[in-house]
Each structure stands twice: as structure tokens, then as C-alpha cells.
Amino acid sequence: MGMTCLHRSLAGAPTLVLFHGIPEERATQGTILFYHGFGESKDKYIAVLQRLAEAGFLAIGVDGIGHGERRYPDFNERFPSITPDLVGNMDLEAAFLSTVRATAQEVPFILDALIERGWAHAGRIGIAGHSFGGFVTYAAVVADKRIQGAASVVGSPEWRLPWPESPHLHLGEFFPAALLSQVAGKDTNVLPEFARALHHRLVPYYAQAPERLRFIEYPDSAHDLSAENREEAWDMV
């Protein structure tokens, strides 16, 4: 049976839904929300969504706030290319984190819409994301206990601004969700030490189920990951 690909709006968010067979049946195995990298869209990650669908899940790519089908018309003005004079610019960081926060705050409403359709079931919901999507993944798993699995690829749980929503401030909210963090050792965009520190601090919280906590570092890769590491990372997700 071939794979089905549907464009749907869920709680106002543009999504791309991939699955084999019947979506309600796939949801009994698991539903996975997937969030793209910064400045990108769900459509750029068709190959990743296909991997998740091939594994038997109902895979749902979501355009983050201001991205994809709802890209900010002034996106390039809001988020100029980082030049030496903009490194460490806190206004730019605040704009980025505001988009992360708004996207994560949508997740419970998207899950409500999926559950109402029979396309998701509490306890069989996962979330994954790349870079920007990794930031969203950490924030969403802290905010909604219906998520039971989370996988971030080169994202960060620790925000550079002292905002109370930063996931690293909410250690007690991660368990019992299974958490996989994958980072690049030579990443200068999203520093790997933030996820590394989170996993170290989470160890006592996962003492009764340590297998639900996993950290992987690709020491020779930068933010984009080498082709080999990228394939491995998506296989691990």
C-alpha cells in the first residue's frame, strides 16, 4: 500500500500528514509532530517525515509560527543574516525565542485537534525537531504531558535570555517522557553544552527508567552535521 500525503490545517497551523493505510490506525501506534529548522518549512523535511511514516507512525510536519505557508512577509528584516556586528544581539535573540515560544504554545491546541479527529492518543504522542524545531521540541515536552517521546537534533533546552519558559528551568517536567538529544560537537550556532548539561542534570529524575534518557554527540560535526552523521541522527530519531 502506498503512502498518503495530506495538507491539513490543525488549530490554524499548516501541516503535512504522511502515513500508510488509515490514519486512525497509524495513530494507535503513535503520532509524531515534526518541526523544521529556522527559516525553513515542513516541506523541506519530506524525507524525514517519510522515514517516520515508514516506521508505522502517523507523521505530521508542522510549519512553525512565521514559517512556511505562514512565513512572516518581513522575515528577512526580522531575522537578518548573522554578521560579526550582530553576534550576541539580544534583540535578535528575543525575536528568535519569541517565535520558538509561540510555536511551542500552539502544540497543545494541535494535539487537541488531532485527538478530536482520532489521529492521536494521549500516551502515544511524540515530537521531534531540527535546530529551531529542537528548541520547540524541548519547550513542548515540558508544557504538555501527553507527549511521551521527544527527539531534538541540534536544538537547545537552554535559552540565552533569562525567560522563565526556558525548558532547562523545568527539570521536573521532563520525566516520564523519553528524551533523545543529539548535538554537534563543533556547533557554534547552537552550543552543544546546553543539551549535555541538561542530560547530566536529568539523570536523578530518570533514575527509575534510565533507558528513557539518551544523549548523543557527533564530535566532528558542525551545526549542519556531516552527511553521515545526519543520516545516523534521523535513524536514531
Side-chain angles (χ1 to χ4, degrees):
M1 182 178 293
M3 186 178 299
T4 301
C5 180
L6 303 175
H7 283 83
R8 291 290 185 271
S9 177
L10 296 170
T15 71
L16 191 60
V17 186
L18 275 70
F19 57 91
H20 281 288
I22 300 170
E24 290 81 3
E25 292 181 356
R26 293 299 94 220
T28 63
Q29 174 159 331
T31 301
I32 301 178
L33 297 184
F34 181 85
Y35 285 87
H36 53 77
F38 187 66
E40 298 180 317
S41 73
K42 62 190 182 310
D43 303 280
K44 297 288 187 181
Y45 289 80
I46 291 288
V48 177
L49 295 170
Q50 288 174 335
R51 286 191 190 211
L52 297 173
E54 290 289 354
F57 298 109
L58 183 62
I60 302 175
V62 186
D63 278 338
I65 297 287
H67 288 73
E69 294 180 46
R70 50 180 173 171
R71 186 179 175 91
Y72 293 131
D74 60 344
F75 190 95
N76 292 335
E77 287 71 39
R78 289 181 184 231
F79 305 106
S81 297
I82 298 296
T83 56
D85 60 304
L86 287 176
V87 172
N89 184 298
M90 291 300 101
D91 289 337
L92 189 57
E93 189 71 19
F96 170 76
L97 291 177
S98 292
T99 306
V100 169
R101 178 173 61 187
T103 301
Q105 287 174 341
E106 267 192 337
V107 170
F109 300 103
I110 294 172
L111 295 184
D112 290 343
L114 287 168
I115 289 170
E116 184 177 351
R117 284 174 178 249
W119 286 11
H121 304 281
R124 293 188 177 275
I125 295 169
I127 187 168
H130 175 237
S131 192
F132 166 81
F135 280 77
V136 173
T137 293
Y138 288 118
V141 75
V142 162
D144 198 313
K145 284 296 185 182
R146 293 174 294 184
I147 298 172
Q148 285 293 287
S152 167
V153 177
V154 295
S156 176
E158 184 170 339
W159 296 358
R160 291 177 183 263
L161 295 177
W163 291 6
E165 298 92 344
S166 183
H168 82 290
L169 298 175
H170 303 274
L171 297 178
E173 301 302 321
F174 282 92
F175 188 81
L179 179 64
L180 167 66
S181 295
Q182 299 186 83
V183 301
K186 295 182 178 179
D187 195 341
T188 57
N189 293 356
V190 179
L191 300 180
E193 52 258 39
F194 292 144
R196 190 187 304 125
L198 175 76
H199 277 255
H200 178 74
R201 294 171 66 197
L202 283 176
V203 167
Y205 292 87
Y206 281 77
Q208 59 187 293
E211 72 281 0
R212 296 182 69 79
L213 188 64
R214 188 166 187 186
F215 175 80
I216 298 173
E217 183 166 341
Y218 301 101
D220 298 322
S221 272
H223 184 70
D224 289 339
L225 295 178
S226 67
E228 180 181 355
N229 288 163
R230 190 160 50 247
E231 287 297 307
E232 185 177 350
W234 294 127
D235 283 343
M236 295 307 302
V237 168

